[in-house]
Amino acid sequence: MSFRRGVVRQSKFRHVFAQAWKAEHCLDDVRVSRVTWDGPLSAVNPKFLAVIVEAGGGGAFLVVPIGKSGRIDQSCPTVCGHAAPVLDIQWSPHDDNIIASASEDCAVKVWQIPDGGLTAPVTEAVVTLEGHSKRVGILAWHPTAFNILLTAGCDNVILVWNVGTGELVYQLADAHPDLIYSVSWNKNGSAVCTVCKDKALRVIDPRRGAVLKVREKVHEGTRPMRAVFLSDGKILTTGFSRMSERQLALWDTKDLSEPMAVQEMDTSNGVLLPFYDPDTNMVYLLGKGDCTVRYFEVTDESPYVHFLSLYSSKEPQRGAGFLSKRGVDVNKCEIARFYKLHERKVEPISMTVPRKSDLFQGDLYPDTAGLEPALLADEWIAGQDALPLLVSLSGGYAAPPSKHRDTVRSKPRLASQDSGSAAPAAPPTAKDPEDEPPCALPSTDRPKREEDILSELLSEMKALRAVVLAQSQRIELLERQLARIEDGDV
């Protein structure tokens, strides 16, 4: 008897294994929200873990330092400024102390979390964004432009905000005829993909308000779908077949007529939430109510979506938070980490690649998106696009002090300025020379101060120029629309 050995696909992620942390590292007595909304109910960054929790007479979410473990006391302070249950929370990709929340009270609020966590309940938001007429369930920060936030509500409307000024900059009211299930930005933030209750996948340019591509019936089933942009411009969707089987599909935005790949999994009812890691091109699928996490690798080789493995546990998940790559432990070859929500518990789960060497594994950790924004809000509004600014994870990530980022923060006044603990320390050169004896002020400080002032002035001029350009483009568009109306074309 002879056996043919099949060709094994080579991949450094073939042996990725998932491991739950020990009980002493979990959070206990967390009253995870019972809200009927198919969102992850949690958000994580390298500083903080946030979880939407049950709250009497309003909406609240818990924020604790990432390293906290043990029992959460019922008197533990929360962010509790919403008048109805919170449906979604998202940390800013450019400031680990800024978090946005969306609620059934139709409002979106942006909050300042002090370093070290909350010491008292927070009820006053830094910014409140009111523009939706029904509950708001989707938040998506722009990946590269500072202070740009997209929101989507049950009014079937997408709004794009400049959080720094509190202004609504774009509104897409006619793109979706029914409930929007998910929204995802592409890598440089020039477009978003959405899926809707009408079963269609759309690629939209939010600045032009134009639907660039539409694919009807991405999944035949009636249950909610999800879509996420991959770093190469493809789109991965999850949904249900006509026979209620859960599906995963990969789409090429150049040609949406047929999916590049479709995988059917099981007949469970839970909506599959995709978490995408652009550095490894891996996708993790967590079903709400499931006890499993499936993970796949997306490549350029057929069949394009490769099943790697499945993590299974005894307890079903209510939701999960996905830690950004800046927070993983590179010394243990950890490539991803989830914070799985149980009914009254939060359990970290690490995804690890087994390696014998203790040295930094550069092939597992390509440079990843850092905190530094690539664009100001006004630059993006004026039509500019940029890829994320990358940082190295060699030796572990530490946020470097950035003169540019501090200038961005002052341009509008928002992120991490109102809290003394979180605000960047003023440079010693900012002191008045008259307050110090002459010998305490080095001669090199004066030109450096002048250089900082000049840099700030130039940055402000650049921002103003972007605003003027954006407004002139807007005026030109309105004039064209007015001319069409006068000519009877509309």
Side-chain angles (χ1 to χ4, degrees):
M1 183 181 291
S2 63
F3 294 91
R4 289 185 61 193
R5 177 175 293 179
V7 177
V8 178
R9 188 181 68 89
Q10 294 300 313
S11 170
K12 53 184 168 247
F13 302 117
R14 273 179 53 223
H15 301 294
V16 170
F17 68 95
Q19 187 168 27
W21 290 23
K22 293 181 179 177
E24 58 263 31
H25 299 303
C26 297
L27 287 176
D28 295 307
D29 278 355
V30 179
R31 296 181 301 162
V32 177
S33 174
R34 296 177 179 275
V35 67
T36 54
W37 188 257
D38 291 318
L41 304 180
S42 179
V44 198
N45 69 22
K47 278 188 181 180
F48 299 108
L49 164 68
V51 180
I52 302 173
V53 293
E54 286 288 293
F61 59 95
L62 178 75
V63 178
V64 296
I66 189 85
K68 185 173 177 61
S69 60
R71 183 175 175 273
I72 297 295
D73 195 88
Q74 297 307 309
S75 62
C76 184
T78 59
V79 180
C80 50
H82 281 286
V86 176
L87 300 180
D88 195 15
I89 48 177
Q90 293 291 331
W91 291 103
S92 166
H94 303 126
D95 191 321
D96 285 341
N97 294 76
I98 294 296
I99 187 169
S101 60
S103 167
E104 287 189 1
D105 63 9
C106 307
V108 172
K109 294 177 183 283
V110 180
W111 310 87
Q112 168 84 49
I113 307 299
D115 280 340
L118 304 179
T119 54
V122 178
T123 57
E124 291 297 320
V126 180
V127 179
T128 298
L129 307 172
E130 295 177 317
H132 289 281
S133 60
K134 293 185 180 179
R135 60 181 181 166
V136 189
I138 296 172
L139 299 168
W141 289 95
H142 193 284
T144 61
F146 191 64
N147 279 345
I148 293 293
L149 176 66
L150 180 148
T151 63
C154 293
D155 50 8
N156 311 334
V157 174
I158 287 178
L159 303 179
V160 181
W161 306 84
N162 181 346
V163 173
T165 61
E167 292 177 294
L168 173 62
V169 290
Y170 299 107
Q171 177 172 334
L172 289 82
D174 303 320
H176 300 89
D178 213 327
L179 180 66
I180 301 166
Y181 285 141
S182 80
V183 181
S184 172
W185 291 97
N186 65 355
K187 189 173 183 178
N188 69 357
S190 61
V192 295
C193 68
T194 69
V195 282
C196 175
K197 197 172 182 179
D198 68 352
K199 303 180 186 178
L201 168 68
R202 293 172 174 85
V203 179
I204 299 172
D205 181 342
R207 286 175 295 201
R208 288 167 46 203
V211 178
L212 306 177
K213 298 277 181 73
V214 181
R215 173 59 162 85
E216 306 288 344
K217 293 189 178 180
V218 178
H219 296 279
E220 297 275 357
T222 56
R223 300 275 296 141
M225 301 183 293
R226 289 290 182 275
V228 60
F229 252 121
L230 306 187
S231 56
D232 61 0
K234 296 183 180 69
I235 297 173
L236 185 134
T237 61
T238 63
F240 293 79
S241 71
R242 189 179 297 155
M243 305 302 292
S244 296
E245 290 179 304
R246 294 198 293 191
Q247 292 179 321
L248 166 71
L250 183 67
W251 304 85
D252 187 346
T253 48
K254 298 185 183 73
D255 181 9
L256 293 176
S257 60
E258 291 293 331
M260 295 176 64
V262 177
Q263 290 203 19
E264 294 185 343
M265 280 163 275
D266 55 29
T267 54
S268 178
N269 288 327
V271 174
L272 285 170
L273 304 179
F275 294 91
Y276 173 61
D277 179 358
D279 300 335
T280 59
N281 232 28
M282 287 177 61
V283 177
Y284 304 86
L285 298 186
L286 285 79
K288 296 202 75 171
D290 286 10
C291 301
T292 58
V293 178
R294 293 175 173 83
Y295 37 108
F296 301 79
E297 185 180 3
V298 183
T299 70
D300 294 328
E301 308 167 15
S302 181
Y304 307 111
V305 181
H306 309 273
F307 175 74
L308 293 174
S309 190
L310 177 146
Y311 165 77
S312 185
S313 60
K314 294 178 181 178
E315 295 291 326
Q317 55 229 7
R318 300 280 296 278
F322 186 56
L323 179 64
S324 68
K325 188 57 70 72
R326 291 181 292 113
V328 300
D329 189 344
V330 298
N331 296 317
K332 295 181 179 177
C333 294
E334 181 186 46
I335 59 168
R337 189 189 308 164
F338 292 94
Y339 286 78
K340 174 182 172 180
L341 306 187
H342 300 244
E343 192 169 347
R344 293 184 68 91
K345 175 181 170 183
V346 181
E347 177 186 39
I349 299 171
S350 289
M351 300 286 176
T352 307
V353 178
R355 291 282 171 95
K356 293 180 180 179
S357 173
D358 292 333
L359 299 175
F360 175 71
Q361 305 293 308
D363 62 320
L364 299 182
Y365 301 102
D367 289 354
T368 192
L371 280 175
E372 195 79 18
L375 295 171
L376 296 171
D378 292 326
E379 291 173 329
W380 181 77
I381 292 167
Q384 294 187 44
D385 294 316
L387 293 171
L389 300 180
L390 305 181
V391 295
S392 172
L393 292 179
S394 179
Y397 176 77
S402 166
K403 185 169 67 177
H404 169 64
R405 186 159 169 257
D406 296 342
T407 305
V408 170
R409 281 179 171 169
S410 66
K411 279 299 154 311
R413 184 177 181 81
L414 168 68
S416 299
Q417 295 198 92
D418 300 322
S419 163
S421 61
T429 55
K431 292 183 180 178
D432 191 330
E434 293 181 6
D435 294 341
E436 296 284 340
C439 60
L441 185 67
S443 59
T444 57
D445 280 4
R446 193 179 303 276
K448 187 179 180 186
R449 286 175 54 207
E450 291 173 357
E451 184 182 320
D452 288 346
I453 293 168
L454 180 61
S455 173
E456 189 168 338
L457 285 172
L458 288 171
S459 178
E460 190 163 354
M461 287 170 61
K462 188 177 180 182
L464 286 171
R465 207 165 24 236
V467 172
V468 171
L469 178 59
Q471 296 303 328
S472 65
Q473 291 174 343
R474 176 71 176 157
I475 290 167
E476 192 178 323
L477 176 64
L478 291 171
E479 286 175 341
R480 285 203 300 270
Q481 290 177 344
L482 183 61
R484 288 172 60 199
I485 292 169
E486 289 174 346
D487 294 341
D489 293 344
V490 177

